[in-house]
Amino acid sequence: MRITIFGSGYVGLVTGACLADAGNHVVCVDVDPAKIERLNKGDIPIHEPGLEDVIRRNQAKGRLEFTLDAAAAVAQGLFQIIAVGTPPGEDGSADLQYVLSVATTIATHMTDYKVVVTKSTVPVGTADNVRAAMQRRLAARALSIEFDVVSNPEFLKEGAAINDFMRPDRVIVGTDNPRVTELVRALYEPFTRNHDRLVVMDIRSSELTKYAANAMLATKISFMNEMANLAERLGADIEKVRIGIGSDPRIGYGFIYPGVGYGGSCFPKDVQALEQSGRAVGYESKILAAVEGVNARQKLVLFEKIKAHFAGKLKGRTFALWGLSFKPNTDDMRAAPSRVLMEALWAEGASVRAYDPIAMPEVRRLYGERDDLTLVDSMEAALEGAEALAIVTEWQEFRSPDFDTIRAKLKQPVIFDGRNLYDPSLMNRFGFTYYGIGRGAPRPGGPAKVGAPAGG
């Protein structure tokens, strides 16, 4: 098949690369000349495991192209996939200007039948708006050309997106035309051969399914963080509670890990957008508001533990941070809990020495050069001159560190573990004062003695 994808960001690149790898001819369109130039040189602007190999392999075979030429791209593809951003507006609603701009562009250049696929995460009713925008443009051209609009939301996890696309749990298709269902089925057939995973429904239900899925996962995270905060005050261990409730198949183990809150490009934006969609039709979602509120509060939990341990005296102190991206296996810093922690420490006059396996270039782009931020090239280097260690992202290499080295390098043997990577009893035997999330009071002997900061 011949496929055109508008948008060369995360969703567009993964979708284009995987569809090309199945033998299709794919053209990705973008309006950013610098991005297209980078992609045509084989320079991938995002970090996603396996993506670079898939893109380069299909570029070499001539199945994957990147262009600024929207007219040529529209002409070549039966499928016109919209995968542009839908950033949140000031009120939290999804901004559809880029989606509707692409719809108008397609209608401007099309000369024959097209299947227009909205893969961007969009509010319910967007397909109707896309159809209306295209009809207006075709009317302005005095043309009557048949087309169909399909909702086909993506369900890609950052860090595992290639596998998610190649081996999908489900492929949601929203359409009002049975003929289109068969076309989309053929498009995804290489990825669903051993089991038909197409779930076909009306367009509005498909659009809501994406938001509902992300809101449910965000709800599980916020609920577990709420239970962790309660467990800490009741003297229970949330990790034992997690195992106890996760063994119930009605609940399961997915997304019930307590921590420092969710981040990234999807959950924060989508919960807000769904909440705003409710308001637009006169419905106030109390659960969604609570999910968002709990998450905002949870991102400050690690800072509050640090501030309490040092009796509010943070000025002049340096803290080591392990992990900056919002989750492992990505360099995405959007809404990352590490940003909230660093900015809170800086506001108190503290400095940060930070290490992340992938995300440090993105941190430099966001914050530039500043005296209170030192980015280092190893876990151990982050510990140099630091009062204590804070763990924010659960990268694999942080799970079994050399605790003797940590204790020797830190000024105080104190660990603030925002991802519950370590066992409190083991930390006690190693002589650390250990703060987890929902794991009871720190040990041994409560907070270590608080002295003046170095040079203070």
Side-chain angles (χ1 to χ4, degrees):
M1 294 188 178
R2 304 185 73 82
I3 301 160
T4 298
I5 298 178
F6 283 87
S8 296
Y10 185 85
V11 174
L13 286 177
V14 172
T15 300
C18 292
L19 288 173
D21 212 46
N24 301 295
H25 185 264
V26 180
V27 174
C28 293
V29 191
D30 207 282
V31 296
D32 184 346
K35 181 185 288 186
I36 293 299
E37 183 178 2
R38 287 182 63 183
L39 288 165
N40 281 325
K41 291 178 179 178
D43 181 11
I44 313 306
I46 62 173
H47 176 81
E48 177 61 36
L51 178 60
E52 184 174 339
D53 290 341
V54 179
I55 287 178
R56 289 184 174 178
R57 177 167 67 243
N58 286 282
Q59 280 182 302
K61 292 182 178 181
R63 294 196 296 245
L64 181 60
E65 301 176 31
F66 300 98
T67 184
L68 296 166
D69 189 344
V74 169
Q76 81 93 34
L78 167 64
F79 288 95
Q80 304 282 313
I81 298 177
I82 303 176
V84 293
T86 53
E90 291 185 7
D91 61 356
S93 61
D95 185 346
L96 296 178
Q97 63 172 310
Y98 305 114
V99 171
L100 297 179
S101 175
V102 170
T104 301
T105 297
I106 295 169
T108 297
H109 299 294
M110 64 188 286
T111 56
D112 56 5
Y113 174 75
K114 303 293 181 185
V115 179
V116 180
V117 180
T118 56
K119 190 163 277 292
S120 302
T121 301
V122 294
V124 175
T126 297
D128 294 338
N129 294 331
V130 166
R131 183 180 290 107
M134 293 184 65
Q135 288 172 338
R136 285 194 300 270
R137 183 65 187 123
L138 288 171
R141 294 175 64 197
L143 293 174
S144 177
I145 303 173
E146 187 182 4
F147 66 91
D148 281 292
V149 179
V150 178
S151 169
N152 174 221
E154 54 85 15
F155 294 92
L156 305 175
K157 298 186 296 292
E158 290 193 44
I162 299 296
N163 185 71
D164 287 346
F165 197 100
M166 298 286 198
R167 299 174 181 83
D169 297 319
R170 75 285 203 201
V171 177
I172 304 295
V173 179
T175 179
D176 52 13
N177 185 341
R179 178 183 65 175
V180 176
T181 301
E182 296 312 308
L183 287 172
V184 176
R185 190 183 303 278
L187 179 66
Y188 281 101
E189 194 269 342
F191 312 105
T192 60
R193 280 184 174 177
N194 62 346
H195 181 66
D196 185 2
R197 290 176 169 82
L198 247 71
V199 181
V200 182
M201 59 186 72
D202 63 277
I203 293 175
R204 284 178 171 251
S205 296
S206 173
E207 291 170 332
L208 182 56
T209 295
K210 169 63 177 183
Y211 275 126
N214 279 354
M216 173 60 81
L217 297 176
T219 299
K220 292 183 74 173
I221 294 170
S222 280
F223 175 82
M224 206 60 190
N225 283 332
E226 193 87 310
M227 291 300 101
N229 295 334
L230 188 58
E232 198 161 285
R233 288 156 177 80
L234 294 174
D237 186 340
I238 194 62
E239 289 298 319
K240 293 180 172 60
V241 175
R242 177 181 64 80
I243 294 170
I245 67 173
S247 59
D248 184 334
R250 296 172 300 175
I251 298 172
Y253 292 104
F255 289 84
I256 61 169
Y257 289 85
V260 288
Y262 59 77
S265 63
C266 294
F267 289 3
K269 173 175 69 71
D270 293 352
V271 170
Q272 291 177 17
L274 186 54
E275 193 178 357
Q276 183 60 29
S277 291
R279 291 194 191 103
V281 292
Y283 183 78
E284 196 72 30
S285 173
K286 295 184 182 298
I287 288 180
L288 294 179
V291 167
E292 190 179 359
V294 168
N295 192 61
R297 184 178 65 189
Q298 197 68 19
K299 289 183 178 182
L300 286 167
V301 163
L302 216 56
F303 169 73
E304 290 165 354
K305 290 177 183 289
I306 293 171
K307 189 172 183 178
H309 177 88
F310 289 97
K313 299 176 182 178
L314 302 182
K315 186 175 182 179
R317 298 185 187 276
T318 297
F319 294 92
L321 261 65
W322 285 0
L324 295 167
S325 57
F326 88 93
K327 63 182 283 188
N329 298 318
T330 180
D331 61 352
D332 197 338
M333 289 292 296
R334 287 174 287 186
S338 65
R339 299 180 65 173
V340 176
L341 176 57
M342 288 192 296
E343 290 166 13
L345 289 171
W346 293 334
E348 294 288 328
S351 296
V352 171
R353 290 178 63 85
Y355 167 73
D356 187 283
I358 297 295
M360 291 192 292
E362 179 65 7
V363 175
R364 287 191 184 95
R365 186 189 71 80
L366 289 169
Y367 292 109
E369 297 296 327
R370 48 187 301 159
D371 294 338
D372 49 10
L373 173 62
T374 303
L375 299 175
V376 297
D377 59 4
S378 71
M379 299 158 53
E380 294 76 18
L383 304 170
E384 298 286 351
E387 299 276 353
L389 167 64
I391 301 169
V392 189
T393 312
E394 65 276 30
W395 285 93
Q396 188 68 24
E397 65 186 271
F398 301 159
R399 293 183 180 273
S400 186
D402 185 335
F403 290 108
D404 289 336
T405 297
I406 296 175
R407 192 173 59 249
K409 287 184 177 292
L410 290 176
K411 291 183 177 180
Q412 299 188 37
V414 184
I415 296 177
F416 300 90
D417 183 357
R419 297 297 179 181
N420 287 352
L421 297 185
Y422 312 133
D423 180 74
S425 298
L426 182 64
M427 295 297 96
N428 183 33
R429 290 199 298 272
F430 283 158
F432 286 98
T433 299
Y434 176 78
Y435 294 84
I437 303 295
R439 311 205 73 177
R443 295 180 292 171
K449 182 179 179 181
V450 179

